[in-house]
Amino acid sequence: MSKRNPDYDFKWCPGCGDFGVKRALEGALLDRSSARSESVENTVIVAGIGCSGNLVHLQEGPQPFGLHGIHGRALGIAYGLKSTRTDLNVVVVSGDGDFLSIGAEHIGPQAKRNLDITAIVMDNGVYGLTKGQASPTTELEVVTSTTPYGKLDDQSFPLQTYLAAGVPFIASTLSTQVKALQTIIGEAMDYPGFSIVHVQSPCTTYNDTYALLKGNEKEGIEPLAFPIPDNHDAGDLDAAYALARGGRIPVGILYQHDQSIPSHERLRLARERTGATQKSVDEIFQTMAI
Amino acid sequence: MSKNLVVRFAGEGGQGVVGGSEILAAAAAAVGYHVLTFSTFPSQIKGGPAWGQARISTEEVLSSGDELDVLVALNQYAYDHNVEELSAGGFVVYNSEEFELDDPRAIGLPADQMAREAGNPRAANMIVIGAVAELAKFPLTYLEQFVTERFTRGRPGDEAIIEGNIKALHMGAEAAATKGLSLESLDDAPTLEGERILIKGFEAACLGAIAADLDSFIGYPISPATTMLVFMESHLHGPGKFVGQSSSEIESIAALVGGGFSGKKVMTSTSGPGLSLMGEGLGLAWMAEIPLVVANVQRGGPATGLPTKTEQSDLIVAINPGHGDMSVPVIAPGTIEEAFWGTIEAMNWAERYQGPVILLSETSIAERQQDIIKPDLSKVRSEKRTVSDGATGSERYTGDGISPFPVPGGPGAYVANGSEHDEQGDTTHLPDVHVRMTDRRFKKLELLMDGSYESVQTSASVAVLPWGSSKGPTLAAYRELVADGMDLGWYYTMYINPMPSALLEELQQKELVLIPELSYLGQLGQILRSKGINAQSITQYTGLPFKEQDLKQRLADAIRAHTGKLAAV
């Protein structure tokens, strides 16, 4: 249930990483609201399908608008939403299946348009809502209900995908570090262009990676996650690639292009440059006069 | 004297056959004739059999014409595959540099060489048009006037181009005159009242959308619907307007859902394959109650099918484009005027019932060019959805019909949801909520059932009901059948789903309703039979429009078979 709607009965499993993402997003929206004197209703959360998408119904506190669409199309919906209403703050919430498998075809176009939205991708390395099938970020050889011989397809590395697609703002984060995540989501929403906040958000039921991410000295597990060093230059694409290819999970802002011109600004400039003006229907009819 | 002149330019893609027919039509329209063009070509830029046809008439033109008065054949294939449509007394004009014909009706012209002699190597078309004009006794002065206007573009060299073209017209005419052949000459042009424009169907649809205050158009290139996207890119760019090229039809419909949800009036254009891809997104718009308009310009066949031909085989998928219970409203224009007014109505329907609407066009409507009286813009009525003032809080989906629409940034934050949902838009699978919300979504369609329709000779027990582009040829056939003494009712509407309830009631009283339609399945016939109407489709699936005389014969046969059956009882 949500505080807003006691009848709503969807539940995440206890310990789900998505709880942390929800709290961080709620905090970031409040921060934004007070910093800009802007109503939370000026934000729209566009959700995909999967455990992650249910976040839109569970938001507590002042309510943003929500659009819980169809599987894989949250970015496409955000394209029309932001292009027609540049005044709105548009946030996509998605998962590794929704964003990187069925929805992958929409990443490149938004990056190339430089659509001014923020996508928060909750990566748990599994299809949770359909009960534990392999996802693009599931590791090679892992046995799941759809990979009885172990996963045969290579694992996807989303940070490399985003860099190759030309996404101008890329952050890699952990659902357990709520405060840091809140700050990064805020920065991503402020960024003038397409920003992706990729969150390791473990699934306690089908793919519990908490210990792997954090490491366990006693059991001799090296932490998979590591903080991006302070001296990393986020404007350096090669440095970002090096971190993304390191085989571990860097935490922090991986890449940030500092000359970003978002799509609606490109359109405004183009219209200014060409002096395009709207002709009335009657004027257009006149050009067809016999 | 004759009321009609039908000229077909046949050759291969890239030879300007469509341009040739359009120049002739535009010149004839400028003189005061009614004109209609139709073209057909393969899905390639250069080569492949293509033809463009112009029908010029002293009366309202209802179809592209049955028989050819002049066939312009630019190669042997074009002659071989089109000559059987030549009328008795018709002529062939052909390019004698390409091939030789042994046909007493044929006039060979070395058009390219003559064009070079005229001083404009690109004026081969004008040589041919001059010859056609001579055969039809169509005064060259009109064509000269047209050429002068068309090529006066404020560029250096305009004059030389005009001179070369005019010379080419005369050379063509003189060459034809020496053959001593002539057609029955065309009656003088009528004096037409009103401000007339020469417009294509897709332009009329786009301008209807702009007149109805369209905010945004997002589309993906696909034949034969690309023309709408291109038109919008160059005509919709005022403040706050957005036109975009999406990365697929799936992205188009998703973006439209986003744009409609944002409070804006949004539209896309596509054709069959794109509509198939949009199925799930249209379901989302239906479930979440988001206004948007999809213009689907029908081509032929499933899969890639016939990308540049015309058919009426997308009706069922337009009404039920995706899985689950839904019934998407459909408006199908049958004329250029209806393409304008029908698009306005489609936008109004979307706003009124808060959901997706399909404007079901066809290649032969979208690509046809015709003279019409300029639509009276003072009659345009543009509806806008009722916006929420926040009085119902986050309860977006209240009551059993339309409820106020909360606009992001304003009050009434809710979740627009493609899953079954409660009043606030939160997901639920409770049986009673699914029943309540399903009923609500269907009940809203009642707001669209008061559309107008045409009805003539309503006392007849047998009626004809064409839809879309079949309207014109059916009307021509109908008029002849009635003139022949047949007792036959006429019904027509562009409001296909939901159909005006009064029309359905009338049709249910008929012994037989004949539906001329361009598909194998006879899709409107199927739909009407499911509503208790004894509908029988007259089908054709050649990728081409009906011909008036064929249709007249088939209608007469169907009526005779019906009366025969009755007599046998």
Short mmCIF file of all heavy atoms in Angstrom, two decimals, chain A residues 4-5 8 41 57 63 65-68 70 73 76-77 80-81 83-85 106 110 113 271 277-278 282 285-286 288 290, chain B residues 29 196-198 235 237-238 241 245 250-251 254-255 262 264 374 407-410 414-418 422 424-426:
data_model
loop_
_atom_site.label_atom_id
_atom_site.label_comp_id
_atom_site.label_asym_id
_atom_site.label_seq_id
_atom_site.Cartn_x
_atom_site.Cartn_y
_atom_site.Cartn_z
N ARG A 4 -0.61 7.43 0.05
CA ARG A 4 -1.62 8.18 -0.69
C ARG A 4 -2.87 7.35 -0.91
O ARG A 4 -3.99 7.84 -0.85
CB ARG A 4 -1.00 8.62 -2.02
CG ARG A 4 -1.91 9.36 -2.95
CD ARG A 4 -1.11 9.88 -4.15
NE ARG A 4 -0.38 8.79 -4.81
CZ ARG A 4 -0.91 8.04 -5.75
NH1 ARG A 4 -2.15 8.21 -6.13
NH2 ARG A 4 -0.19 7.08 -6.31
N ASN A 5 -2.66 6.08 -1.20
CA ASN A 5 -3.78 5.22 -1.57
C ASN A 5 -3.72 3.91 -0.79
O ASN A 5 -3.03 2.97 -1.20
CB ASN A 5 -3.72 4.96 -3.09
CG ASN A 5 -4.94 4.20 -3.58
OD1 ASN A 5 -5.79 3.78 -2.79
ND2 ASN A 5 -5.00 4.00 -4.88
N TYR A 8 -4.09 0.52 -2.56
CA TYR A 8 -3.07 0.02 -3.49
C TYR A 8 -2.26 -1.08 -2.80
O TYR A 8 -1.68 -0.85 -1.74
CB TYR A 8 -2.17 1.17 -3.94
CG TYR A 8 -1.08 0.74 -4.89
CD1 TYR A 8 -1.39 0.15 -6.11
CD2 TYR A 8 0.26 0.91 -4.56
CE1 TYR A 8 -0.40 -0.24 -6.98
CE2 TYR A 8 1.27 0.52 -5.43
CZ TYR A 8 0.93 -0.06 -6.64
OH TYR A 8 1.92 -0.46 -7.49
N GLU A 41 4.38 18.91 -8.46
CA GLU A 41 3.47 18.57 -9.57
C GLU A 41 4.03 18.98 -10.93
O GLU A 41 3.46 18.66 -11.97
CB GLU A 41 2.11 19.26 -9.36
CG GLU A 41 1.29 18.61 -8.27
CD GLU A 41 0.20 19.53 -7.72
OE1 GLU A 41 0.33 20.76 -7.85
OE2 GLU A 41 -0.76 19.01 -7.14
N HIS A 57 3.85 4.41 -8.13
CA HIS A 57 2.65 4.39 -7.27
C HIS A 57 3.01 4.53 -5.80
O HIS A 57 2.14 4.73 -4.97
CB HIS A 57 1.89 3.08 -7.46
CG HIS A 57 1.46 2.84 -8.87
ND1 HIS A 57 0.38 3.46 -9.44
CD2 HIS A 57 1.99 2.05 -9.84
CE1 HIS A 57 0.25 3.06 -10.69
NE2 HIS A 57 1.22 2.20 -10.96
N GLN A 63 2.97 14.75 -4.23
CA GLN A 63 2.87 13.83 -5.37
C GLN A 63 3.24 14.47 -6.69
O GLN A 63 2.66 15.49 -7.09
CB GLN A 63 1.45 13.27 -5.46
CG GLN A 63 1.12 12.30 -4.36
CD GLN A 63 2.00 11.04 -4.42
OE1 GLN A 63 2.02 10.35 -5.42
NE2 GLN A 63 2.74 10.77 -3.34
N PHE A 65 3.21 14.00 -10.92
CA PHE A 65 2.38 13.26 -11.87
C PHE A 65 3.10 11.97 -12.25
O PHE A 65 4.33 11.90 -12.17
CB PHE A 65 2.12 14.10 -13.13
CG PHE A 65 0.98 15.05 -12.99
CD1 PHE A 65 1.12 16.23 -12.26
CD2 PHE A 65 -0.26 14.76 -13.56
CE1 PHE A 65 0.05 17.11 -12.12
CE2 PHE A 65 -1.33 15.63 -13.43
CZ PHE A 65 -1.18 16.82 -12.70
N GLY A 66 2.33 10.96 -12.66
CA GLY A 66 2.95 9.70 -13.04
C GLY A 66 2.35 9.16 -14.33
O GLY A 66 1.20 9.45 -14.67
N LEU A 67 3.15 8.42 -15.07
CA LEU A 67 2.63 7.73 -16.25
C LEU A 67 3.25 6.33 -16.26
O LEU A 67 4.46 6.18 -16.47
CB LEU A 67 3.01 8.51 -17.53
CG LEU A 67 2.09 8.34 -18.74
CD1 LEU A 67 2.45 9.32 -19.84
CD2 LEU A 67 2.07 6.93 -19.29
N HIS A 68 2.42 5.36 -15.96
CA HIS A 68 2.89 3.97 -15.90
C HIS A 68 2.47 3.29 -17.19
O HIS A 68 1.32 2.90 -17.35
CB HIS A 68 2.27 3.28 -14.67
CG HIS A 68 2.96 2.00 -14.31
ND1 HIS A 68 2.63 1.28 -13.20
CD2 HIS A 68 3.97 1.33 -14.90
CE1 HIS A 68 3.40 0.20 -13.13
NE2 HIS A 68 4.22 0.21 -14.15
N ILE A 70 3.85 1.06 -20.87
CA ILE A 70 3.97 -0.32 -21.34
C ILE A 70 5.45 -0.68 -21.34
O ILE A 70 6.31 0.18 -21.28
CB ILE A 70 3.34 -0.48 -22.74
CG1 ILE A 70 3.79 0.65 -23.67
CG2 ILE A 70 1.83 -0.53 -22.63
CD1 ILE A 70 3.27 0.54 -25.09
N ARG A 73 8.91 1.20 -23.12
CA ARG A 73 8.65 2.41 -23.90
C ARG A 73 8.71 3.70 -23.09
O ARG A 73 8.28 4.76 -23.57
CB ARG A 73 7.29 2.32 -24.61
CG ARG A 73 7.08 1.04 -25.38
CD ARG A 73 8.12 0.80 -26.45
NE ARG A 73 8.14 -0.60 -26.87
CZ ARG A 73 9.18 -1.20 -27.41
NH1 ARG A 73 10.33 -0.55 -27.60
NH2 ARG A 73 9.12 -2.47 -27.75
N GLY A 76 10.43 6.49 -24.92
CA GLY A 76 9.62 7.00 -26.04
C GLY A 76 8.52 7.93 -25.54
O GLY A 76 8.26 8.99 -26.13
N ILE A 77 7.89 7.55 -24.44
CA ILE A 77 6.84 8.39 -23.84
C ILE A 77 7.46 9.72 -23.39
O ILE A 77 6.91 10.80 -23.65
CB ILE A 77 6.18 7.66 -22.67
CG1 ILE A 77 5.35 6.47 -23.20
CG2 ILE A 77 5.30 8.61 -21.86
CD1 ILE A 77 4.88 5.51 -22.13
N GLY A 80 7.98 12.34 -26.21
CA GLY A 80 6.82 13.17 -26.57
C GLY A 80 6.45 14.14 -25.46
O GLY A 80 6.03 15.27 -25.71
N LEU A 81 6.59 13.68 -24.23
CA LEU A 81 6.21 14.49 -23.07
C LEU A 81 7.11 15.72 -22.96
O LEU A 81 6.64 16.86 -22.85
CB LEU A 81 6.32 13.61 -21.82
CG LEU A 81 5.96 14.14 -20.46
CD1 LEU A 81 4.62 14.83 -20.46
CD2 LEU A 81 5.95 12.99 -19.46
N SER A 83 9.18 16.97 -25.22
CA SER A 83 9.22 17.80 -26.43
C SER A 83 8.03 18.73 -26.52
O SER A 83 8.14 19.83 -27.06
CB SER A 83 9.26 16.91 -27.69
OG SER A 83 10.39 16.08 -27.66
N THR A 84 6.88 18.29 -25.99
CA THR A 84 5.70 19.14 -26.06
C THR A 84 5.58 20.05 -24.84
O THR A 84 4.88 21.05 -24.89
CB THR A 84 4.40 18.30 -26.16
OG1 THR A 84 4.36 17.39 -25.05
CG2 THR A 84 4.35 17.52 -27.46
N ARG A 85 6.24 19.67 -23.75
CA ARG A 85 6.16 20.49 -22.51
C ARG A 85 7.57 20.63 -21.94
O ARG A 85 7.95 19.95 -20.99
CB ARG A 85 5.23 19.80 -21.50
CG ARG A 85 3.75 19.85 -21.83
CD ARG A 85 3.12 21.23 -21.58
NE ARG A 85 3.33 21.72 -20.24
CZ ARG A 85 2.61 21.37 -19.18
NH1 ARG A 85 1.61 20.53 -19.30
NH2 ARG A 85 2.88 21.87 -18.00
N HIS A 106 15.54 2.64 -27.63
CA HIS A 106 15.20 4.05 -27.41
C HIS A 106 16.32 4.85 -26.74
O HIS A 106 16.20 6.07 -26.59
CB HIS A 106 13.92 4.16 -26.58
CG HIS A 106 12.75 3.46 -27.21
ND1 HIS A 106 12.15 3.93 -28.36
CD2 HIS A 106 12.12 2.30 -26.90
CE1 HIS A 106 11.17 3.09 -28.70
NE2 HIS A 106 11.14 2.09 -27.85
N GLN A 110 17.45 9.08 -27.84
CA GLN A 110 17.34 10.17 -26.84
C GLN A 110 18.71 10.79 -26.61
O GLN A 110 18.83 12.01 -26.37
CB GLN A 110 16.77 9.69 -25.50
CG GLN A 110 15.45 8.94 -25.55
CD GLN A 110 14.55 9.22 -26.72
OE1 GLN A 110 14.30 10.37 -27.10
NE2 GLN A 110 14.07 8.16 -27.34
N ARG A 113 19.39 13.01 -29.66
CA ARG A 113 18.58 14.24 -29.59
C ARG A 113 19.04 15.11 -28.44
O ARG A 113 18.82 16.30 -28.43
CB ARG A 113 17.11 13.88 -29.32
CG ARG A 113 16.42 13.17 -30.44
CD ARG A 113 14.99 12.78 -30.06
NE ARG A 113 14.42 12.08 -31.19
CZ ARG A 113 13.88 10.86 -31.14
NH1 ARG A 113 13.79 10.22 -29.98
NH2 ARG A 113 13.42 10.29 -32.22
N ARG A 271 15.19 27.61 -35.08
CA ARG A 271 14.10 28.50 -35.52
C ARG A 271 14.55 29.95 -35.57
O ARG A 271 14.19 30.70 -36.47
CB ARG A 271 12.90 28.36 -34.57
CG ARG A 271 12.08 27.14 -34.90
CD ARG A 271 10.82 27.08 -34.07
NE ARG A 271 10.07 25.87 -34.38
CZ ARG A 271 9.26 25.26 -33.55
NH1 ARG A 271 9.07 25.75 -32.34
NH2 ARG A 271 8.63 24.18 -33.90
N THR A 277 8.49 31.06 -39.48
CA THR A 277 7.29 31.55 -38.79
C THR A 277 6.09 30.72 -39.20
O THR A 277 6.09 30.09 -40.26
CB THR A 277 6.99 33.02 -39.16
OG1 THR A 277 6.97 33.11 -40.58
CG2 THR A 277 8.03 33.96 -38.58
N GLN A 278 5.09 30.72 -38.35
CA GLN A 278 3.90 29.93 -38.60
C GLN A 278 2.97 30.66 -39.56
O GLN A 278 2.51 31.76 -39.26
CB GLN A 278 3.19 29.65 -37.27
CG GLN A 278 1.94 28.81 -37.40
CD GLN A 278 2.27 27.35 -37.68
OE1 GLN A 278 3.02 26.74 -36.93
NE2 GLN A 278 1.72 26.80 -38.74
N ASP A 282 -5.24 29.76 -43.68
CA ASP A 282 -5.74 30.51 -44.83
C ASP A 282 -4.59 30.95 -45.75
O ASP A 282 -4.71 30.88 -46.97
CB ASP A 282 -6.55 31.72 -44.36
CG ASP A 282 -7.40 32.27 -45.49
OD1 ASP A 282 -8.12 31.46 -46.13
OD2 ASP A 282 -7.33 33.48 -45.77
N PHE A 285 -3.66 28.00 -47.76
CA PHE A 285 -4.66 27.81 -48.82
C PHE A 285 -4.39 28.76 -49.98
O PHE A 285 -4.55 28.40 -51.15
CB PHE A 285 -6.07 28.04 -48.29
CG PHE A 285 -6.69 26.85 -47.59
CD1 PHE A 285 -7.58 27.03 -46.55
CD2 PHE A 285 -6.41 25.55 -48.00
CE1 PHE A 285 -8.18 25.95 -45.91
CE2 PHE A 285 -6.99 24.46 -47.38
CZ PHE A 285 -7.88 24.67 -46.33
N GLN A 286 -4.01 30.00 -49.66
CA GLN A 286 -3.79 31.00 -50.72
C GLN A 286 -2.71 30.52 -51.70
O GLN A 286 -2.79 30.79 -52.89
CB GLN A 286 -3.34 32.34 -50.13
CG GLN A 286 -4.42 33.07 -49.33
CD GLN A 286 -5.71 33.26 -50.08
OE1 GLN A 286 -5.72 33.35 -51.31
NE2 GLN A 286 -6.82 33.29 -49.36
N MET A 288 -2.32 27.69 -52.73
CA MET A 288 -2.88 26.64 -53.58
C MET A 288 -3.99 27.17 -54.49
O MET A 288 -4.65 26.40 -55.18
CB MET A 288 -3.48 25.53 -52.69
CG MET A 288 -2.46 24.89 -51.76
SD MET A 288 -3.29 23.87 -50.52
CE MET A 288 -1.86 23.08 -49.76
N ILE A 290 -6.23 28.51 -57.37
CA ILE A 290 -6.19 28.23 -58.82
C ILE A 290 -6.27 29.56 -59.56
O ILE A 290 -7.13 30.38 -59.26
CB ILE A 290 -7.37 27.32 -59.22
CG1 ILE A 290 -7.18 25.94 -58.59
CG2 ILE A 290 -7.46 27.21 -60.74
CD1 ILE A 290 -8.37 25.03 -58.75
N ALA B 29 -7.21 22.98 -64.45
CA ALA B 29 -7.90 23.59 -63.32
C ALA B 29 -7.85 25.11 -63.44
O ALA B 29 -8.82 25.80 -63.14
CB ALA B 29 -7.26 23.14 -62.00
N ARG B 196 -11.42 28.75 -55.61
CA ARG B 196 -11.02 27.36 -55.78
C ARG B 196 -9.54 27.17 -55.49
O ARG B 196 -8.73 28.06 -55.75
CB ARG B 196 -11.35 26.89 -57.20
CG ARG B 196 -12.85 26.76 -57.45
CD ARG B 196 -13.19 26.72 -58.91
NE ARG B 196 -12.70 25.51 -59.54
CZ ARG B 196 -11.86 25.49 -60.58
NH1 ARG B 196 -11.41 26.62 -61.08
NH2 ARG B 196 -11.48 24.35 -61.09
N ILE B 197 -9.22 26.01 -54.93
CA ILE B 197 -7.82 25.67 -54.69
C ILE B 197 -7.55 24.29 -55.28
O ILE B 197 -8.47 23.48 -55.45
CB ILE B 197 -7.45 25.69 -53.19
CG1 ILE B 197 -8.32 24.70 -52.39
CG2 ILE B 197 -7.58 27.08 -52.60
CD1 ILE B 197 -7.89 24.52 -50.96
N LEU B 198 -6.29 24.05 -55.60
CA LEU B 198 -5.87 22.74 -56.10
C LEU B 198 -5.04 22.10 -55.00
O LEU B 198 -3.99 22.64 -54.62
CB LEU B 198 -5.04 22.92 -57.37
CG LEU B 198 -4.71 21.65 -58.16
CD1 LEU B 198 -5.98 20.94 -58.63
CD2 LEU B 198 -3.82 21.98 -59.36
N HIS B 235 5.44 23.10 -42.10
CA HIS B 235 4.29 24.00 -41.90
C HIS B 235 3.86 24.19 -40.45
O HIS B 235 3.02 25.03 -40.17
CB HIS B 235 3.09 23.53 -42.72
CG HIS B 235 3.25 23.75 -44.19
ND1 HIS B 235 3.84 22.82 -45.02
CD2 HIS B 235 2.93 24.80 -44.98
CE1 HIS B 235 3.85 23.28 -46.26
NE2 HIS B 235 3.31 24.48 -46.27
N HIS B 237 5.42 25.19 -37.21
CA HIS B 237 6.59 25.57 -36.42
C HIS B 237 6.39 26.88 -35.67
O HIS B 237 7.31 27.67 -35.52
CB HIS B 237 7.87 25.59 -37.27
CG HIS B 237 7.68 26.16 -38.65
ND1 HIS B 237 8.41 25.74 -39.73
CD2 HIS B 237 6.82 27.08 -39.12
CE1 HIS B 237 8.02 26.40 -40.81
NE2 HIS B 237 7.06 27.20 -40.46
N GLY B 238 5.20 27.09 -35.20
CA GLY B 238 4.94 28.28 -34.39
C GLY B 238 5.44 28.07 -32.97
O GLY B 238 5.93 27.00 -32.62
N LYS B 241 4.97 24.81 -30.75
CA LYS B 241 4.67 23.67 -31.62
C LYS B 241 5.91 22.77 -31.71
O LYS B 241 7.03 23.26 -31.66
CB LYS B 241 4.29 24.13 -33.03
CG LYS B 241 3.18 25.18 -33.07
CD LYS B 241 1.82 24.59 -32.82
CE LYS B 241 0.71 25.63 -33.03
NZ LYS B 241 -0.59 25.16 -32.60
N GLN B 245 10.82 13.64 -35.93
CA GLN B 245 10.94 12.34 -36.60
C GLN B 245 11.39 11.33 -35.55
O GLN B 245 12.48 11.44 -34.99
CB GLN B 245 11.95 12.42 -37.74
CG GLN B 245 12.10 11.09 -38.47
CD GLN B 245 13.03 11.17 -39.67
OE1 GLN B 245 13.19 12.23 -40.29
NE2 GLN B 245 13.66 10.06 -40.01
N ILE B 250 6.88 2.51 -33.07
CA ILE B 250 6.69 2.22 -31.65
C ILE B 250 7.03 3.46 -30.83
O ILE B 250 6.32 3.82 -29.90
CB ILE B 250 7.57 1.01 -31.23
CG1 ILE B 250 7.06 -0.26 -31.89
CG2 ILE B 250 7.60 0.86 -29.71
CD1 ILE B 250 7.89 -1.49 -31.59
N GLU B 251 8.09 4.14 -31.23
CA GLU B 251 8.44 5.36 -30.51
C GLU B 251 7.43 6.48 -30.81
O GLU B 251 7.10 7.27 -29.94
CB GLU B 251 9.86 5.82 -30.86
CG GLU B 251 10.36 6.88 -29.89
CD GLU B 251 11.80 7.28 -30.14
OE1 GLU B 251 12.07 8.01 -31.10
OE2 GLU B 251 12.66 6.85 -29.36
N ALA B 254 4.43 5.93 -28.59
CA ALA B 254 4.81 6.20 -27.19
C ALA B 254 4.91 7.70 -26.97
O ALA B 254 4.40 8.25 -25.99
CB ALA B 254 6.13 5.51 -26.87
N ALA B 255 5.56 8.40 -27.92
CA ALA B 255 5.72 9.85 -27.79
C ALA B 255 4.37 10.55 -27.82
O ALA B 255 4.15 11.53 -27.10
CB ALA B 255 6.61 10.37 -28.92
N SER B 262 0.53 15.19 -21.64
CA SER B 262 1.04 16.49 -21.22
C SER B 262 0.00 17.60 -21.40
O SER B 262 0.22 18.72 -20.97
CB SER B 262 2.31 16.85 -21.99
OG SER B 262 1.99 17.48 -23.22
N LYS B 264 -1.38 18.34 -24.50
CA LYS B 264 -1.30 18.89 -25.85
C LYS B 264 -2.12 18.06 -26.84
O LYS B 264 -2.43 16.90 -26.61
CB LYS B 264 0.16 18.92 -26.31
CG LYS B 264 1.04 19.82 -25.45
CD LYS B 264 0.65 21.28 -25.60
CE LYS B 264 1.66 22.19 -24.91
NZ LYS B 264 1.32 23.61 -25.06
N LYS B 374 -12.37 26.41 -51.64
CA LYS B 374 -11.59 26.60 -50.42
C LYS B 374 -12.50 26.43 -49.18
O LYS B 374 -13.54 27.08 -49.09
CB LYS B 374 -10.97 28.00 -50.41
CG LYS B 374 -9.95 28.19 -49.30
CD LYS B 374 -9.33 29.56 -49.33
CE LYS B 374 -10.18 30.53 -48.53
NZ LYS B 374 -9.54 31.85 -48.37
N VAL B 407 -3.76 18.27 -15.92
CA VAL B 407 -2.62 18.58 -16.78
C VAL B 407 -1.37 18.73 -15.91
O VAL B 407 -1.38 19.49 -14.94
CB VAL B 407 -2.89 19.87 -17.58
CG1 VAL B 407 -1.65 20.31 -18.35
CG2 VAL B 407 -4.06 19.66 -18.53
N PRO B 408 -0.29 18.00 -16.23
CA PRO B 408 0.93 18.07 -15.43
C PRO B 408 1.38 19.53 -15.23
O PRO B 408 1.29 20.35 -16.14
CB PRO B 408 1.95 17.31 -16.28
CG PRO B 408 1.14 16.35 -17.07
CD PRO B 408 -0.16 17.07 -17.35
N GLY B 409 1.83 19.79 -14.01
CA GLY B 409 2.19 21.16 -13.65
C GLY B 409 1.05 21.84 -12.91
O GLY B 409 1.26 22.77 -12.15
N GLY B 410 -0.18 21.33 -13.14
CA GLY B 410 -1.36 21.87 -12.48
C GLY B 410 -1.81 20.93 -11.37
O GLY B 410 -1.10 19.99 -11.02
N TYR B 414 -1.83 12.45 -10.56
CA TYR B 414 -2.34 11.09 -10.55
C TYR B 414 -1.37 10.25 -11.37
O TYR B 414 -0.39 10.79 -11.91
CB TYR B 414 -3.75 11.03 -11.17
CG TYR B 414 -3.75 11.22 -12.67
CD1 TYR B 414 -4.03 10.16 -13.54
CD2 TYR B 414 -3.43 12.46 -13.24
CE1 TYR B 414 -4.00 10.34 -14.92
CE2 TYR B 414 -3.41 12.63 -14.62
CZ TYR B 414 -3.69 11.58 -15.45
OH TYR B 414 -3.65 11.75 -16.82
N VAL B 415 -1.65 8.97 -11.50
CA VAL B 415 -0.83 8.12 -12.36
C VAL B 415 -1.69 7.65 -13.54
O VAL B 415 -2.68 6.96 -13.35
CB VAL B 415 -0.26 6.91 -11.60
CG1 VAL B 415 0.59 6.05 -12.54
CG2 VAL B 415 0.58 7.36 -10.41
N ALA B 416 -1.32 8.07 -14.74
CA ALA B 416 -1.98 7.54 -15.94
C ALA B 416 -1.42 6.14 -16.14
O ALA B 416 -0.21 5.98 -16.23
CB ALA B 416 -1.67 8.42 -17.14
N ASN B 417 -2.30 5.16 -16.19
CA ASN B 417 -1.81 3.79 -16.05
C ASN B 417 -2.36 2.88 -17.14
O ASN B 417 -3.56 2.84 -17.41
CB ASN B 417 -2.24 3.26 -14.68
CG ASN B 417 -1.47 2.02 -14.27
OD1 ASN B 417 -0.84 1.37 -15.10
ND2 ASN B 417 -1.54 1.68 -13.00
N GLY B 418 -1.47 2.11 -17.77
CA GLY B 418 -1.87 1.13 -18.76
C GLY B 418 -2.30 -0.19 -18.15
O GLY B 418 -2.91 -1.04 -18.80
N ASP B 422 -7.50 1.89 -10.39
CA ASP B 422 -8.63 2.47 -9.67
C ASP B 422 -8.77 3.96 -10.04
O ASP B 422 -8.11 4.44 -10.97
CB ASP B 422 -8.47 2.26 -8.15
CG ASP B 422 -7.19 2.93 -7.62
OD1 ASP B 422 -6.60 3.80 -8.32
OD2 ASP B 422 -6.77 2.58 -6.50
N GLN B 424 -7.58 6.60 -8.80
CA GLN B 424 -6.36 7.41 -8.75
C GLN B 424 -5.33 6.97 -9.79
O GLN B 424 -4.24 7.53 -9.86
CB GLN B 424 -5.72 7.31 -7.37
CG GLN B 424 -6.68 7.69 -6.25
CD GLN B 424 -5.96 7.82 -4.91
OE1 GLN B 424 -4.83 8.25 -4.86
NE2 GLN B 424 -6.64 7.46 -3.85
N GLY B 425 -5.66 5.91 -10.51
CA GLY B 425 -4.73 5.40 -11.51
C GLY B 425 -3.76 4.37 -10.95
O GLY B 425 -2.80 4.00 -11.62
N ASP B 426 -4.00 3.92 -9.72
CA ASP B 426 -3.13 2.89 -9.16
C ASP B 426 -3.59 1.51 -9.59
O ASP B 426 -4.79 1.23 -9.70
CB ASP B 426 -3.10 3.01 -7.63
CG ASP B 426 -2.28 4.22 -7.18
OD1 ASP B 426 -1.28 4.53 -7.85
OD2 ASP B 426 -2.66 4.87 -6.18
#
